[in-house]
Amino acid sequence: MYKAELVGVLGCPVAENPTGVMQEAAFQAVGLNWRYLTIEVQPENLADAIRGVRAFGMRGLNLTIPHKVAVIAHLDDLTPAARAIGAVNTVRREDGRLIGENTDGKGFLRGLRADAGRDPAGQRVVILGAGGAARAIATELALAGATELTVVNRTASRAEAMIADLAAATGLGARYVPWVGPYAVPPDADILVNATSIGLFPDTGAMPDVDLDSAPPHLLVADAVFNPPETRLLAAAKARGLAVLDGLSMLVYQGVIGFEYWTGQAAPEAVMKDALRRALSGE
Ligand code: NDP
């Protein structure tokens, strides 16, 4: 049988998006005749692109910048998590209907458990940032039983909107701390997550303005930035002997969840991790 099943990512720009490398490696490893297409779609062409997705009978999609919110208007339904987060990064076709889901936070959580060995239940978490990644991570952490959440962000209105939506979706009341000068990590924090884009390639010399002096020895420092995998923040945390979790973990596990969501099969996690690591190291 020569007909391939199609999935892919729509974004703009999208040329540097490495997800296709790990999904294609996974399809090959389990012998599925599936293709993952990396497709550049300008914002004004998104509606036509989704009509194309329907016409081609594509099995699923990932969405990246700038389509994660705009795509919602073109879908048939949303999962509760996607509705709570207000953004979609993954779509699945179910009986001809396109269902929007958000796996960013779920990917973070799976990495937290599998790679860092941490259970989010009862944890006190500080999140730097209030954008899409921060919302997804905060929502899933709250649903998984994190007890305290502090949002540190430059723009107050964005953080306040995130906190209101989080309370409505999960019942967790988070605290906002304005980001003025270095943020001193509280001595009772369990997890610190950078969900800003500070440190992202090519700005690899940048580091979120945080003071780790008062951080407790059990603090886990996680970064959503995956390129480079070792950000300056993670290097600084490691130098202090703190545990770290890189953005590659979150990216791999959201890909693992996408694979399972589309194909209904267990994902070859090790193959996906290896393919992604190699792609990002330029091999
Ligand atoms: P958004 O644009 O939605 O949000 C960006 C956030 O970063 C905002 O809170 C913004 O603050 C803050 N920020 C940006 N620059 C600065 C700065 N110079 N100083 C202080 N705050 C700043 O982006 P996303 O949430 O979509 O993505 C955030 C990061 O997460 C990106 O690096 C992205 O690559 C990564 N990511 C990783 C994933 C993974 O699987 N590993 C998945 C999804 C995202 P303000 O509100 O004040 O503007």
Side-chain angles (χ1 to χ4, degrees):
M1 152 142 132
Y2 298 113
K3 175 186 174 291
E5 298 298 335
L6 299 178
V7 288
V9 56
L10 311 184
C12 187
V14 80
E16 302 290 325
N17 189 300
T19 302
V21 174
M22 71 171 158
Q23 296 293 358
E24 291 268 324
F27 296 146
Q28 273 187 18
V30 303
L32 280 177
N33 185 18
W34 287 47
R35 300 284 179 283
Y36 187 102
L37 309 175
T38 300
I39 308 170
E40 186 163 296
V41 175
Q42 301 290 333
E44 64 273 23
N45 293 328
L46 182 63
D48 284 342
I50 298 296
R51 274 193 281 276
V53 166
R54 293 182 193 274
F56 284 3
M58 289 179 73
R59 299 289 286 262
L61 278 183
N62 286 133
L63 284 308
T64 186
I65 291 170
H67 303 314
K68 285 184 176 187
V69 176
V71 75
I72 292 174
H74 307 292
L75 302 177
D76 300 306
D77 206 352
L78 299 180
T79 63
R83 193 167 289 119
I85 295 161
V88 163
N89 78 331
T90 304
V91 169
R92 175 167 70 173
R93 205 186 76 216
E94 268 176 39
D95 301 327
R97 299 173 75 239
L98 297 181
I99 314 296
E101 163 68 299
N102 195 311
T103 63
D104 280 338
K106 291 183 172 72
F108 176 80
L109 228 62
R110 202 142 146 186
L112 185 68
R113 291 190 169 109
D115 292 339
R118 290 279 180 110
D119 182 346
Q123 297 278 286
R124 284 170 290 220
V125 184
V126 175
I127 297 192
L128 308 174
R135 279 174 166 261
I137 291 170
T139 302
E140 299 294 347
L141 279 169
L143 292 175
T147 42
E148 266 182 41
L149 204 78
T150 302
V151 179
V152 182
N153 199 52
R154 182 178 58 178
T155 307
S157 56
R158 222 164 167 202
E160 281 156 4
M162 168 178 156
I163 287 170
D165 289 347
L166 185 70
T170 69
L172 185 71
R175 199 164 65 99
Y176 170 55
V177 175
W179 207 345
V180 275
Y183 172 74
V185 179
D188 63 350
D190 299 307
I191 302 174
L192 171 74
V193 187
N194 174 38
T196 74
S197 42
I198 301 168
L200 180 64
F201 180 85
D203 210 4
T204 53
M207 175 172 156
D209 194 7
V210 291
D211 177 359
L212 294 171
D213 279 352
S214 48
H218 70 270
L219 183 77
L220 171 74
V221 179
D223 209 325
V225 171
F226 60 82
N227 187 12
E230 184 168 288
T231 57
R232 268 194 69 199
L233 174 66
L234 295 190
K238 266 188 190 170
R240 287 175 174 270
L242 300 173
V244 299
L245 179 66
D246 67 23
L248 223 49
S249 165
M250 175 174 168
L251 187 64
V252 165
Y253 282 105
Q254 63 91 5
V256 162
I257 294 166
F259 180 99
E260 292 171 351
Y261 193 51
W262 297 323
T263 68
Q265 295 192 21
E269 288 179 19
V271 169
M272 295 175 81
K273 241 179 223 182
D274 187 50
L276 195 61
R277 250 178 223 288
R278 285 213 256 159
L280 288 176
S281 65
E283 282 177 40

